[in-house]
Amino acid sequence: MELREPPNYRTATKMIHAGTERSPYGEVSEAIYLTQGFVYPTSELAEMRFSGEDPGFIYSRYANPTNNIFTKKMCILEGAEDGRTVASGMAAVASAILCTVKSGDHVIAGRAMFGSCRYILETILPRYGVKISIIDSTCIQNWQKAIQSNTRLLFFETPANPTLEIVDIAAVCRLAHEAGAIVIVDNAFATPLYQKPLTLGADVVVYSTTKHIDGQGRCLGGIILSSCQWITENLHDYLRHTGPAMSPFTAWIMLKGLETMPLRVQHMTRSATKIADLIAQHPSVSKCLYPGRSDHPQADLIARQMRSGSTLIAFEVKGGKAAAFSFCNSLKIPIISNNLGDVRSIITHPATTTHQSVPPEVRSELGISDGLLRLSTGLEDTEDLLEDIKRALDTVKR
Ligand SMILES: *Cc1c(COP(=O)(O)O)cnc(C)c1O
């Protein structure tokens, strides 16, 4: 059931009401169709399902009613025609890339990215004869220079993990399309509330729904959003036959997450803005990068393509690893972990955790120093967070 007119309800209203489909029982909260497959009343109908003449469900590896409701809401939020749910953010990234490229193709990717994305590009793709260029993605000339006649795909995250570097989505999309390539954007950090890559020209958007969409540390999930044509031609059969399906239970958790996501992310962003201001002017800190601050080196670009700075802050404490560890260990509210977008504030030391396997020289190229920390701002009281972070920064020996 679609939302009744007018269609221009605002995001929070849509996230609660749009795309909801109810069973004949009329349940309030969406049903969890925790079933492997579906029954056909007759053999004739089974035949029609398999031929595609009847659009009904066949098997949950292909499609499931609970997952479909989640997909519909995400399409509305993102402005996408169609989408597919998968078991994790990495399943989304891997599937979107692998269903796009073939042997002999060339891929360009931004160098600052989630560690597992780097593994897919640098280790898996070359095994299948795909060539890779990894570039400093903040400079549009680098994208231009890297394009070759066989370039098929441009892939990046923005803001990127963990340095919060920004890529000019519209400019990269123009270059890609002139070269006959497509663009996949990992939009996990900005969230669909603050940045809509499809409207800026991207062909495909991927999310780890594990992050702000679940937002409560419960389930892994991923989603791929694009045009009907791209999904039908590239992704549809790939997912059916390789099977990285999201559990209907997870899809239901994600649906519950979406209902409160606008409220959570807006509150977390308001706190992040205040916390970034505190961190930026603290004497223990040598650098603070927050996309919502006017001193971010790419503030003009951010103003053009993001509606807000979102929930993550990257900063460097003076005194390297020892100072970073002492800061993290003395925090009382943020937990030391590696998720983000959660209701709990989370502090991460990328050099020894998420980016430990990245060689030190590559880490330093990426700006991941031993003093760099990433804070994912949670939903705790802003004043409590400010007091805790200030106290912990005060204790850092500099
Ligand atoms: C977390 C994350 C992923 C991977 O998602 P999982 O759900 O953990 O598999 C990919 N890209 C970015 C930017 C992420 O933050």
Side-chain angles (χ1 to χ4, degrees):
M1 185 184 78
E2 296 299 330
L3 256 188
R4 272 162 290 164
E5 295 292 309
N8 55 346
Y9 288 118
R10 291 161 188 82
T11 305
T13 311
K14 288 185 192 163
M15 284 311 92
I16 289 168
H17 292 288
T20 300
E21 274 183 59
R22 296 196 163 89
S23 80
Y25 296 114
E27 62 282 350
V28 170
S29 179
E30 295 83 353
I32 310 176
Y33 290 93
L34 203 53
T35 177
Q36 141 278 324
F38 300 83
V39 177
Y40 318 109
T42 62
S43 300
E44 286 77 9
L45 199 62
E47 186 180 18
M48 285 164 71
R49 291 264 169 98
F50 275 81
S51 73
E53 276 168 89
D54 184 277
F57 292 98
I58 297 174
Y59 197 57
S60 287
R61 167 149 50 77
Y62 295 3
N64 175 282
T66 311
N67 297 54
N68 275 11
I69 302 173
F70 175 52
T71 304
K72 262 193 206 156
K73 282 194 201 276
M74 284 300 298
C75 285
I76 290 167
L77 188 54
E78 191 69 36
E81 288 175 3
D82 202 1
R84 292 289 184 275
T85 54
V86 286
S88 69
M90 282 325 302
V93 173
S95 303
I97 292 176
L98 290 170
C99 79
T100 300
V101 296
K102 62 179 187 319
S103 170
D105 284 347
H106 173 243
V107 177
I108 312 172
R111 67 180 183 183
M113 71 177 110
F114 196 72
S116 300
C117 299
R118 184 171 268 271
Y119 179 83
I120 293 170
L121 292 162
E122 284 189 324
T123 308
I124 299 181
L125 290 190
R127 286 185 200 155
Y128 298 94
V130 177
K131 296 261 185 315
I132 309 297
S133 302
I134 298 212
I135 60 162
D136 173 354
S137 58
T138 56
C139 172
I140 192 72
Q141 282 81 13
N142 293 343
W143 291 95
Q144 173 102 59
K145 272 188 271 172
I147 287 179
Q148 301 172 11
S149 60
N150 58 342
T151 302
R152 171 80 187 113
L153 167 67
L154 280 60
F155 172 82
F156 59 89
E157 330 175 339
T158 181
N161 184 42
T163 51
L164 307 183
E165 286 179 3
I166 310 293
V167 179
D168 188 334
I169 301 174
V172 172
C173 291
R174 273 195 300 275
L175 281 179
H177 295 154
E178 277 166 22
I182 73 151
V183 175
I184 301 177
V185 179
D186 182 337
N187 204 36
F189 276 37
T191 84
L193 296 176
Y194 295 147
Q195 180 170 276
K196 296 193 191 298
L198 295 179
T199 65
L200 296 168
D203 301 279
V204 182
V205 175
V206 292
Y207 285 99
S208 165
T209 67
T210 315
K211 309 294 166 56
H212 300 84
I213 293 170
D214 173 10
Q216 290 159 80
R218 299 167 292 197
C219 287
L220 294 177
I223 194 161
I224 305 160
L225 299 157
S226 183
S227 63
C228 287
Q229 190 188 351
W230 187 85
I231 301 248
T232 307
E233 290 177 2
N234 298 279
L235 188 65
H236 182 79
D237 289 339
Y238 177 94
L239 290 182
R240 282 185 166 217
H241 300 302
T242 59
M246 174 186 275
S247 154
F249 179 75
T250 298
W252 183 82
I253 296 282
M254 297 301 168
L255 273 171
K256 297 304 101 183
L258 270 188
E259 291 174 353
T260 59
M261 185 187 69
L263 199 58
R264 282 186 281 109
V265 171
Q266 281 155 20
H267 184 94
M268 284 151 58
T269 300
R270 275 197 297 275
S271 292
T273 307
K274 291 187 184 161
I275 293 168
D277 289 344
L278 165 81
I279 290 173
Q281 53 75 42
H282 196 281
S284 300
V285 172
S286 49
K287 188 166 85 180
C288 173
L289 282 175
Y290 176 59
R293 272 177 65 86
S294 57
D295 65 354
H296 189 291
Q298 296 165 289
D300 290 347
L301 173 57
I302 291 167
R304 270 186 278 134
Q305 74 180 26
M306 292 181 74
R307 291 182 56 192
S308 175
S310 203
T311 63
L312 289 133
I313 306 166
F315 60 102
E316 198 174 72
V317 289
K318 294 175 188 165
K321 179 177 162 182
F325 274 25
S326 119
F327 169 75
C328 294
N329 291 341
S330 65
L331 284 170
K332 295 218 178 352
I333 299 173
I335 54 172
I336 301 173
S337 189
N338 42 263
N339 190 18
L340 60 95
D342 198 271
V343 293
R344 296 153 197 80
S345 292
I346 296 176
I347 191 81
T348 310
H349 184 246
T352 53
T353 60
T354 53
H355 290 70
Q356 190 189 119
S357 64
V358 177
E361 63 281 4
V362 180
R363 276 208 300 270
S364 75
E365 232 177 74
L366 295 178
I368 305 173
S369 67
D370 288 348
L372 186 80
L373 292 161
R374 185 189 80 191
L375 178 74
S376 171
T377 310
L379 204 48
E380 301 95 343
D381 186 280
T382 312
E383 295 306 316
D384 284 341
L385 286 174
L386 285 166
E387 284 166 22
D388 191 37
I389 291 163
K390 178 172 186 312
R391 189 194 42 74
L393 281 174
D394 287 344
T395 66
V396 172
K397 288 198 195 66
R398 28 179 202 277

